[in-house]
Amino acid sequence: MWKSATVLVTSLVLYVTAAPYDVKRCSVELEKAGVSHQFNETVAHTVHSMTVQGLRLFNPRATVHNQVPTVNHNLQSPHKVLPYAPEDPTGSDFATASMNMLDEILSTLGQANDGLGPNWSAIERVVHQFHMRDVWSRVLQDFPYVQKAPPSESACACLLDTSVNGIRAAVQWVADHYSHGTPITLLNRPIPKLTDANSWAVWRQRLLHYYDAASVRDAATYIYCVTKDM
Ligand SMILES: *[C@@H]1O[C@H](CO)[C@@H](O)[C@H](O)[C@H]1NC(C)=O
Ligand SMILES: *[C@@H]1O[C@H](CO)[C@@H](O)[C@H](O)[C@H]1NC(C)=O
């Protein structure tokens, strides 16, 4: 009786503390799940400014009790990365979602609380916000394919261990670079100020960088794992 109770308690403890992140095992699991080797970048790009409202595109039950690492909207904070995606409801004074988004961005200009840091001009802030919504919409298009052939529990465990698997570090990279620049990709390439059609040509190419099938699939797989039990 006592012996079996001890065995039960021991196995419960083992179950709760779970296996530590194992790079080799996780790379096998993630490859099986169709996740690319650049998943730290592709996922961090998609989620660094994720919100509860963004997660609700994928699961209407999403709340702040999520594990998505994001850039802190208050970049003055010593913690530049939040361990979750925060609430960010847009207003409803205007009739369309896009006009309400524009209203939100322009109403907070100069307040340094939109999580982008000091270097972004008004038009660059608008582009960033619309870009992220656009990326989430692109990922949503492929979400049903991931739902139909979902990643294994162990692949999800590897993806969700963001403090070890490189996703959190890549979000930190974004947060750090926002203190002095306007990175669009995580490739550390200089980008011109967005002032005319020529600079837009560079921006639009950068903005489209993570729209390839593999990047979209990485992001869809991660978001599937994050939202599946909500
Ligand atoms: C992503 O991971 C690769 C190694 O696979 C590493 O070289 C790169 O620096 C990481 N990127 C970021 C932004 O952390
Ligand atoms: C960011 O803004 C500062 C202050 O305006 C400027 O000195 C710096 O060159 C900018 N950085 C980039 C990468 O544009």
Side-chain angles (χ1 to χ4, degrees), residues 192-214:
K193 291 309 285 176
L194 177 52
T195 53
D196 55 17
N198 285 339
S199 46
W200 173 245
V202 178
W203 274 67
R204 80 182 293 285
Q205 199 182 20
R206 296 290 168 84
L207 291 163
L208 289 167
H209 182 75
Y210 296 108
Y211 281 70
D212 62 288

Side-chain angles (χ1 to χ4, degrees), residues 8-202:
L8 179 66
V9 168
T10 313
S11 49
L12 274 178
V13 168
L14 282 177
Y15 180 73
V16 171
T17 50
Y21 192 87
D22 177 334
V23 176
K24 243 192 185 155
R25 187 180 52 78
C26 279
S27 85
V28 173
E29 293 293 348
L30 292 177
E31 199 162 317
K32 270 196 265 173
V35 172
S36 81
H37 294 295
Q38 280 85 42
F39 75 89
N40 59 337
E41 271 183 51
T42 55
V43 173
H45 170 262
T46 302
V47 305
H48 72 275
S49 63
M50 186 50 82
T51 62
V52 170
Q53 284 66 29
L55 289 175
R56 286 195 184 133
L57 297 170
F58 301 89
N59 182 339
R61 291 185 303 278
T63 68
V64 284
H65 302 292
N66 64 72
Q67 313 174 43
V68 179
T70 58
V71 174
N72 194 337
H73 285 204
N74 173 14
L75 279 168
Q76 259 80 314
S77 157
H79 305 290
K80 287 192 198 169
V81 176
L82 279 189
Y84 63 93
E87 290 271 1
D88 185 23
T90 28
S92 54
D93 290 345
F94 293 99
T96 56
S98 43
M99 193 64 203
N100 283 314
M101 251 168 79
L102 207 51
D103 178 37
E104 186 192 355
I105 300 162
L106 300 183
S107 297
T108 58
L109 277 184
Q111 289 174 21
N113 62 358
D114 63 359
L116 281 174
N119 274 70
W120 303 69
S121 68
I123 191 65
E124 290 166 353
R125 284 173 204 274
V126 169
V127 166
H128 180 270
Q129 182 80 304
F130 276 78
H131 168 57
M132 292 325 307
R133 300 292 173 110
D134 199 67
V135 168
W136 301 340
S137 300
R138 177 66 191 86
V139 172
L140 188 60
Q141 287 171 359
D142 283 14
F143 202 59
Y145 304 122
V146 173
Q147 286 175 308
K148 236 177 258 165
S152 66
E153 281 294 328
S154 37
C156 276
C158 294
L159 275 178
L160 293 178
D161 207 348
T162 52
S163 54
V164 186
N165 66 18
I167 293 176
R168 192 197 175 286
V171 172
Q172 179 82 49
W173 186 97
V174 175
D176 291 342
H177 281 71
Y178 280 173
S179 68
H180 55 270
T182 60
I184 294 295
T185 66
L186 281 74
L187 303 173
N188 209 13
R189 295 194 200 130
I191 188 160
K193 291 309 285 176
L194 177 52
T195 53
D196 55 17
N198 285 339
S199 46
W200 173 245
V202 178

